[in-house]
């Protein structure tokens, strides 16, 4: 059975920072010529525009590079990636289960804006004009690599490696108290 615990046991959620539950996660890599075939078989149109996401049929696909996507599914069973692999059949691509490698945090407007909290450790311009809803990117939060995804005007989803979760969460909570 997988560990379905939230991001870390440092503290429960606050007004602005909430650990999210279990997600099925997979890294998909394929050549541009295979994207249509992979999309058809998975039932989701993989985003082709840089740093964009698509959500459909319970799957979120985040563009991480010209041939790389992070697939997410909330509360996915342990067999989720095996099911996707079966759907892909003989299509030439790579699909790797990373469900246990990462955890998710949600940052929402509360005492301070989500943009302000994230700006404490992220050098990107996170204004709505520069980082619109649906945009995602792999970036740094202080010294930890994260995947940052804007879900709504007031809400971000962060994917962080489990070994860095307490570090990132702790820095965000410091920023929250100082905001």
């Amino acid at each position: 059975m997988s560990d379905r615990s939230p991001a870390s046991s440092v503290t429960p959620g606050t007004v602005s920072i909430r650990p999210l539950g279990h997600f099925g996660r997979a890294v998909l890599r394929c050549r541009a010529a295979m994207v249509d075939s992979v999309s058809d078989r998975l039932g989701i149109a993989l985003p082709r525009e840089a740093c964009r996401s698509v959500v459909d049929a319970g799957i979120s696909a985040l563009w991480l590079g010209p041939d790389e996507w992070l697939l997410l599914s909330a509360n996915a069973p342990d067999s989720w990636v095996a099911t996707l692999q079966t759907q892909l059949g003989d299509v030439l691509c790579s699909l790797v289960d990373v469900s246990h490698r990462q955890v998710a945090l949600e940052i929402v407007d509360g005492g301070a804006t989500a943009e302000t909290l994230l700006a404490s450790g992220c050098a990107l311009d996170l204004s709505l004009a520069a980082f619109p809803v649906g945009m995602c990117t792999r970036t740094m939060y202080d010294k930890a690599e994260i995947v940052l995804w804007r879900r709504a005007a007031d809400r971000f989803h962060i994917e962080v490696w489990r070994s860095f979760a307490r570090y990132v969460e702790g820095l965000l909570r410091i920023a929250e108290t100082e905001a």
Side-chain angles (χ1 to χ4, degrees):
M1 182 83 190
S2 348
D3 175 12
R4 296 185 184 268
S5 60
S8 83
S9 58
V10 174
T11 55
T14 62
V15 172
S16 299
I17 305 160
R18 299 179 206 147
L20 295 174
H22 175 75
F23 278 81
R25 297 172 179 86
V27 173
L28 172 70
R29 304 217 46 180
C30 70
R31 294 177 187 230
M34 303 304 295
V35 172
D36 287 336
S37 183
V38 168
S39 293
D40 289 343
R41 297 221 182 163
L42 294 180
I44 183 170
L46 296 174
R48 293 181 188 231
E49 188 178 350
C51 301
R52 296 296 185 236
S53 63
V54 171
V55 179
D56 192 19
I59 298 176
S60 301
L62 284 63
W63 186 98
L64 297 181
D67 68 346
E68 182 179 8
W69 295 264
L70 175 63
L71 304 180
L72 300 170
S73 182
N75 297 311
D78 289 342
S79 61
W80 180 67
V81 174
T83 301
L84 294 178
Q85 190 65 55
T86 300
Q87 288 174 252
L88 288 168
D90 61 351
V91 174
L92 294 176
C93 64
S94 169
L95 184 69
V96 178
D97 187 348
V98 294
S99 299
H100 296 74
R101 178 182 76 183
Q102 295 169 197
V103 294
L105 294 169
E106 182 176 60
I107 313 302
V108 298
D109 285 359
T113 67
E115 292 170 8
T116 299
L117 292 181
L118 290 166
S120 68
C122 182
L124 296 175
D125 179 356
L126 298 176
S127 68
L128 196 53
F131 204 93
V133 174
M135 189 166 186
C136 59
T137 191
R138 190 178 347 225
T139 189
M140 298 297 291
Y141 184 80
D142 200 56
K143 296 179 182 178
E145 181 180 296
I146 62 171
V147 173
L148 182 62
W149 178 24
R150 183 172 223 141
R151 298 295 315 249
D154 65 343
R155 183 175 319 270
F156 289 86
H157 177 117
I158 294 177
E159 289 284 320
V160 60
W161 282 28
R162 189 173 294 275
S163 58
F164 289 99
R166 288 182 186 212
Y167 172 73
V168 169
E169 191 174 30
L171 290 174
L172 284 165
R173 292 192 193 290
I174 290 168
E176 183 179 35
T177 60
E178 294 176 352

